[in-house]
Amino acid sequence: MGIFGHAQKCRKDYLIFIAAVILILVGITIYSGIFPPASVVESYSMEHSDNWQYGIIDEGTIVMVKKVNNIDNVITYVQGRSDNSSSYGEYGNVILYHNSALGVITIHRAMFYLSWNGSNPEIEGYHNQSYVHIYNDNIIMEGIGYAHRNLIVNVSGYKGDSGFITVGDHNLATLSKDSPYYNRTYNAYYASDQSIWGIKPVSINEIVGKAYGYIPWFGLIKLNILRLEGKWPRQDYTNVPKYSYLDLSLSIIAIIGLILFPYKKTYNKLKGALRNS
């Protein structure tokens, strides 16, 4: 094959690769039902460790997002614990929603769906589970998260407001007993987004979607561009899990190697060796 023929072949292979990528992206977008069908995680509020862990949402993770049409599309912690349904290292789904207090999209776990029977709070999926207690306006959930802490949610300010109570996995695990978010009476933490930021339960209209898959590390490329623009704060970028940048670099090298690997030439050599053996 001459230089011209080789160039034509490379161009053809390149076009096939681009077409395959486009088809994959279109397929993901159709399945997700929203655009863009993915989001980059900019903070460490869902991390479970200082080190990267498989299946956990860390800073720099790209999460795939699927549209939520109604509350039945979201499996809460309470429902997931009953059905043994989990995602990202814990029971229930992780949702992305418009946080009115911060003016950003927050990605946290849906703990339970709060509704009301007159002035009495109700939890969807609650059927006297031993770890859930309702004391008037206080809802206590025991042994929650990777730190097995107690969560307390006071719903007195949400009367008539139905929606999801959401919590960052890392937030619940790391709040201090010296903080105002600790309740000594119940040995529990006001770690929900509603308690910390004073927002209402997340309604279906505020939900962007639910996370259903992820790509680790590659979101760090976008985040460091934001950092150069002063849009990724120090308290976030200093909490990226250890070795994330090394893992990102090795992944990029591996992908380039897979793209440039001479598959056909290697196949022909192996075929010839087998024929001559």
Side-chain angles (χ1 to χ4, degrees), residues 21-248:
V21 170
I22 292 173
L23 286 174
I24 291 172
L25 292 175
V26 170
I28 291 174
T29 302
I30 292 173
Y31 174 77
S32 297
I34 58 176
F35 185 83
S39 180
V40 174
V41 179
E42 299 183 16
S43 77
Y44 55 95
S45 62
M46 290 295 291
E47 292 180 359
H48 288 198
S49 170
D50 291 336
N51 298 305
W52 179 82
Q53 291 181 307
Y54 175 78
I56 304 301
I57 297 176
D58 296 310
E59 274 188 285
T61 297
I62 299 175
V63 293
M64 313 310 296
V65 186
K66 186 172 177 59
K67 184 179 180 181
V68 171
N69 296 307
N70 53 65
I71 64 172
D72 293 330
N73 293 152
V74 177
I75 299 173
T76 65
Y77 177 98
V78 171
Q79 295 166 326
R81 186 161 171 172
S82 296
D83 300 335
N84 197 30
S85 174
S86 62
S87 63
Y88 306 109
E90 189 55 282
Y91 295 113
N93 289 154
V94 172
I95 62 173
L96 293 83
Y97 70 91
H98 293 283
N99 187 322
S100 58
L102 302 181
V104 299
I105 293 176
T106 296
I107 174 168
H108 280 172
R109 194 171 304 278
M111 300 305 293
F112 61 87
Y113 187 83
L114 175 69
S115 58
W116 294 88
N117 181 8
S119 60
N120 297 317
E122 293 189 341
I123 299 174
E124 295 294 327
Y126 173 65
H127 45 79
N128 298 314
Q129 289 96 323
S130 60
Y131 68 93
V132 180
H133 308 281
I134 302 176
Y135 303 116
N136 297 319
D137 290 330
N138 286 317
I139 296 174
I140 315 293
M141 299 174 67
E142 297 178 338
I144 305 301
Y146 64 91
H148 306 292
R149 285 184 162 189
N150 300 335
L151 172 70
I152 179 171
V153 182
N154 185 287
V155 298
S156 60
Y158 314 137
K159 292 191 183 296
D161 293 318
S162 296
F164 292 97
I165 300 299
T166 50
V167 172
D169 291 358
H170 180 85
N171 295 346
L172 174 59
T174 57
L175 282 174
S176 169
K177 287 188 175 181
D178 296 326
S179 75
Y181 300 108
Y182 177 65
N183 184 302
R184 296 186 182 278
T185 301
Y186 296 106
N187 185 30
Y189 297 84
Y190 294 103
S192 72
D193 301 346
Q194 290 65 38
S195 298
I196 292 175
W197 292 314
I199 60 177
K200 293 182 178 181
V202 180
S203 68
I204 191 68
N205 294 328
E206 294 172 306
I207 296 177
V208 175
K210 66 179 179 180
Y212 71 89
Y214 83 116
I215 303 172
W217 313 308
F218 278 81
L220 289 171
I221 297 172
K222 173 187 175 181
L223 294 184
N224 279 279
I225 294 174
L226 293 177
R227 179 181 174 183
L228 292 174
E229 297 174 352
K231 297 178 181 178
W232 191 30
R234 177 177 175 79
Q235 67 265 24
D236 288 330
Y237 68 71
T238 55
N239 283 283
V240 172
K242 296 176 182 177
Y243 310 118
S244 291
Y245 288 102
L246 174 62
D247 293 330
L248 172 62

Side-chain angles (χ1 to χ4, degrees), residues 1 6 9 13 261-277:
M1 181 184 292
H6 182 72
K9 181 183 180 300
D13 291 343
F261 187 81
Y263 294 98
K264 188 173 182 179
K265 186 176 181 181
T266 303
Y267 170 76
N268 289 335
K269 282 187 176 181
L270 288 174
K271 187 177 179 181
L274 290 172
R275 187 184 300 118
N276 297 327
S277 63

